[in-house]
Amino acid sequence: MTPVVIIARKEFQRCVRNRWIVATTLLMLALSMSLALLGSAPMGTVATGRLSITIVSLSSLTIFLVPLIALMLSFDTVVGDTENGTLFLLLTYPVQRWQIIAGKFVGHTAVLSLATIIGYGTAGLAVGLMAEGTGIDAWTAFATMSGSSVLLGMAFLAIGCLISVLVKERGTAAGLAVAMWLIFVLLFDMGLLGLLVADKGATLKAGTVTALMMLNPADVYRMLNLTGSSEIAALSGMATVGKAGQVSQQLLAAILVAWSVIPLTLAMLVFRRREL
Amino acid sequence: MTDNLTVQCRGLSKRYGEHTVVDGVTFDASAGECLALVGHNGAGKTTLMKLMLGLARANSGDVQIFGNNPGEARRHGGIGFLPESVMFEATMSGRETIAFFARLKGIPVREGYALLETVGLEEAARQRVKTYSKGMRQRLGLAQALLGAPQLLLLDEPTTGLDPALRRSFYDIVRARCHDGATVILSSHILTELEARTDRIAIMNHGKLVACDTLDVLRREAGLALNIRLKVKPGTASVVAEKLAGSANLSKVNDQQIHLTCDLGDKLKVLNDITTLGSEIHDVEILPPTFDEVYGYFHNRESQQ
């Protein structure tokens, strides 16, 4: 076993022990089930597939919830272990520093994936099987939604990890993690919206707006899911953004992956230079 | 590299900001040797260990472990380390903890379990580390340091929190490792326990290595006096004392006891003088300067300069 796998395994085990896995899985299961079962009520019986409606409401929820869970899992990756003294000993082992970061990231990703797949998967199956005539399109979109939720989580795990190597105290890391969540999930979109209103379409072209949205993993996720199929785009009111942007789903997914690769690489570089 | 030199430090210095924590430290440690590192709090013992582990970079000077840089030695699992007040993942059991570290070193997990028995933790092995006492944590720490029988053991205050029996078994384990050719460098505040159990003693003071030798040599260098206590026939103390007054200093005389002090070099001569007195002497007790006194000498000498 490589050190990355050994550390990932231990991190996963730790999350089992401190009930992180159970808590997040139950939370996601409860929310997704309630959205799935109640969420289609307002639409009545219309032509729109129930699974599509579930995707819209679930992905809106994901944008708030998953980054928060991811940041909480990862903000103390390095700073927490420095503070409780376990990191010092680990570094005297034949382990390279990037392997510690990578191992913890893989472990956290496993926790998050498990929670997402169980939580959303159960809801998706329940809705999809209950409603007759759910199209293959809707199933694909649901799979995309679940998969990209994990990608979104990974991006924020990486951001949390970067925070944890940049600061000296756990408290600071926690504060920064909350700030990051606020910025990416709430403030960024508000700012963008304000900019659009102020600009009144004078200088900001649709392409520029789409490009700006790439600077926020939460928006990349939103575009990836809410413009995925025309049915969903219409439902979510994202039709215009989707059409104007013309960014392929593959590219969006790639950008989301880049959002975990870049912060994680930075975290490894910073950690490698750090002296204890 | 000389064949059996495990550690070579040459003019090693480390500064944190304005503060020089380790200041021009030079010493060697060879295979099979047990070296004690003593000094006041903040004397630089822990930082010196960090330098030997390659976890801190020296500002000047050089440290070699097995003739290579410390990072290289660590990568090959050649160094076992027990940090001061060691901490482990609280939610994991002793067995899981040692298994984790064994895997990282690429050692069969059952060797880790065997080490838990060596340090006397087999009964608590399935309990979570959270429930461990300080002494138990310390023993788990020792077990992980012993994984893979490393040729260099760095133990930072290993015996804090251990009761006398455990302390004894701890030194037995250390002795056994030295016997197998490993170098052990340990730091401690408890000077008396190091006296009989280490080969050489390195005294640090404000980052400087002020002395590094066997206790005998340090004693001689310190020039501390030897205490001799005589028990004589009741009532004859003053007579005997008069006879010995020429060869040693009398520090205390009462009815049947005489306390003498003399230079270490004069020991045999004084003893010879005492034995010629024959049956008047009931008992002789020789007290060499304790390690506490020797340490005090070097500590004060350096502070005064």
Side-chain angles (χ1 to χ4, degrees):
Chain A
M1 270 193 285
T2 73
V4 176
V5 178
I6 298 166
I7 293 169
R9 211 179 104 167
K10 186 196 137 199
E11 198 60 25
F12 187 82
Q13 201 175 19
R14 192 174 72 96
C15 292
V16 173
R17 288 288 154 78
N18 62 20
R19 312 267 191 279
W20 251 100
I21 291 199
V22 180
T24 43
T25 307
L26 284 180
L27 181 68
M28 291 178 93
L29 185 65
L31 287 169
S32 62
M33 281 307 269
S34 57
L35 279 179
L37 299 176
L38 305 171
S40 49
M43 306 299 277
T45 39
V46 287
T48 319
R50 287 185 63 177
L51 193 57
S52 298
I53 298 168
T54 308
I55 292 170
V56 173
S57 41
L58 255 188
S59 50
S60 302
L61 173 75
T62 302
I63 287 175
F64 288 91
L65 190 62
V66 168
L68 190 66
I69 293 175
L71 285 169
M72 284 177 71
L73 261 174
S74 66
F75 81 91
D76 67 347
T77 304
V78 170
V79 75
D81 283 8
T82 313
E83 248 174 47
N84 70 24
T86 54
L87 185 71
F88 187 34
L89 183 58
L90 188 58
L91 286 175
T92 67
Y93 273 75
V95 182
Q96 288 184 296
R97 294 193 178 189
W98 69 266
Q99 292 173 320
I100 295 176
I101 302 263
K104 296 217 166 206
F105 179 75
V106 171
H108 289 152
T109 302
V111 172
L112 204 70
S113 306
L114 201 74
T116 311
I117 289 165
I118 294 178
Y120 289 5
T122 313
L125 278 180
V127 174
L129 296 178
M130 271 191 317
E132 282 166 34
T134 303
I136 190 83
D137 260 12
W139 280 116
T140 318
F142 192 81
T144 309
M145 199 268 298
S146 305
S148 59
S149 297
V150 173
L151 285 184
L152 177 70
M154 285 165 78
F156 279 91
L157 284 175
I159 292 169
C161 207
L162 179 59
I163 291 173
S164 80
V165 296
L166 288 175
V167 300
K168 289 243 180 315
E169 277 170 47
R170 204 169 168 273
T172 324
L176 259 180
V178 173
M180 284 298 144
W181 184 80
L182 277 175
I183 289 170
F184 283 125
V185 171
L186 295 174
L187 301 178
F188 187 91
D189 286 357
M190 279 163 72
L192 197 60
L193 211 60
L195 206 64
L196 283 175
V197 171
D199 188 60
K200 291 194 179 103
T203 50
L204 282 176
K205 297 280 169 282
T208 322
V209 176
T210 312
L212 279 174
M213 285 175 81
M214 298 303 157
L215 296 177
N216 181 353
D219 279 336
V220 178
Y221 172 85
R222 193 172 276 139
M223 291 178 71
L224 182 56
N225 285 294
L226 301 183
T227 63
S229 76
S230 51
E231 188 181 62
I232 291 170
L235 262 178
S236 61
M238 288 280 280
T240 358
V241 181
K243 267 192 205 110
Q246 297 297 340
V247 187
S248 76
Q249 284 203 304
Q250 283 81 358
L251 183 59
L252 286 170
I255 291 171
L256 210 47
V257 170
W259 262 105
S260 27
V261 173
I262 293 167
L264 201 64
T265 313
L266 282 177
M268 287 171 181
L269 290 175
V270 173
F271 188 42
R272 198 175 66 177
R273 287 156 176 273
R274 247 258 297 276
E275 204 173 339
L276 287 163
Chain B
M1 170 190 167
T2 320
D3 295 334
N4 60 354
L5 280 189
T6 323
V7 179
Q8 290 173 287
C9 292
R10 294 283 171 272
L12 211 53
S13 291
K14 175 71 192 168
R15 282 187 303 276
Y16 287 112
E18 292 284 284
H19 194 55
T20 304
V21 186
V22 172
D23 192 357
V25 168
T26 298
F27 76 95
D28 293 330
S30 47
E33 186 179 34
C34 181
L35 179 78
L37 210 52
V38 299
H40 58 91
N41 284 325
K45 297 174 300 225
T46 302
T47 309
L48 186 59
M49 286 202 179
K50 281 188 188 177
L51 289 166
M52 286 189 276
L53 285 161
L55 289 180
R57 282 184 289 268
N59 292 101
S60 62
D62 179 50
V63 54
Q64 294 207 326
I65 310 290
F66 315 126
N68 225 322
N69 69 50
E72 200 58 37
R74 196 181 67 222
R75 263 189 287 287
H76 294 120
I79 308 180
F81 177 56
L82 171 58
E84 186 183 353
S85 54
V86 62
M87 294 302 292
F88 298 103
E89 201 73 72
T91 54
M92 281 166 65
S93 73
R95 269 171 78 89
E96 288 165 338
T97 305
I98 203 79
F100 169 69
F101 285 118
R103 287 189 193 106
L104 278 183
K105 271 203 174 173
I107 294 162
V109 168
R110 78 191 117 73
E111 281 182 33
Y113 297 155
L115 280 172
L116 286 184
E117 280 177 41
T118 310
V119 299
L121 272 182
E122 66 271 31
E123 275 174 34
R126 286 174 198 281
Q127 288 173 29
R128 292 190 179 189
V129 175
K130 192 161 37 179
T131 65
Y132 280 21
S133 68
K134 175 97 183 11
M136 288 160 87
R137 255 198 345 253
Q138 208 67 19
R139 280 185 276 162
L140 182 55
L142 179 64
Q144 65 77 27
L146 293 170
L147 278 170
Q151 286 305 297
L152 174 60
L153 275 175
L154 297 175
L155 312 171
D156 200 354
E157 311 215 355
T159 55
T160 43
L162 297 186
D163 63 42
L166 285 173
R167 205 168 284 172
R168 181 189 302 253
S169 75
F170 165 81
Y171 278 106
D172 287 345
I173 293 169
V174 167
R175 269 279 149 227
R177 289 300 304 133
C178 288
H179 203 257
D180 292 343
T183 305
V184 180
I185 298 181
L186 58 90
S187 73
S188 177
H189 280 305
I190 308 162
L191 302 179
T192 44
E193 74 178 30
L194 298 174
E195 209 162 338
R197 286 155 168 157
T198 54
D199 301 316
R200 280 195 304 155
I201 288 157
I203 301 176
M204 288 191 78
N205 193 0
H206 292 107
K208 291 199 176 74
L209 192 66
V210 296
C212 180
D213 221 314
T214 61
L215 189 55
D216 276 344
V217 173
L218 294 183
R219 269 187 190 131
R220 218 159 292 152
E221 197 182 324
L224 293 171
L226 188 72
N227 288 297
I228 302 173
R229 291 179 186 174
L230 300 179
K231 206 179 244 177
V232 297
K233 223 182 272 174
T236 63
S238 51
V239 184
V240 174
E242 227 163 274
K243 289 180 185 167
L244 289 170
S247 43
N249 305 317
L250 301 169
S251 57
K252 186 181 162 195
V253 182
N254 63 21
D255 185 39
Q256 50 177 332
Q257 273 190 35
I258 302 173
H259 289 191
L260 302 167
T261 60
C262 72
D263 286 346
L264 282 175
D266 296 338
K267 180 165 83 174
L268 290 177
K269 186 182 157 292
V270 174
L271 282 178
N272 193 42
D273 291 347
I274 291 168
T275 44
T276 53
L277 295 173
S279 62
E280 285 173 54
I281 312 289
H282 282 183
D283 195 14
V284 181
E285 205 182 350
I286 302 169
L287 305 167
T290 63
F291 183 30
D292 273 327
E293 291 170 306
V294 175
Y295 173 72
Y297 169 79
F298 283 101
H299 183 78
N300 293 333
R301 183 183 74 170
E302 214 56 33
S303 301
Q304 278 158 12
Q305 276 171 8

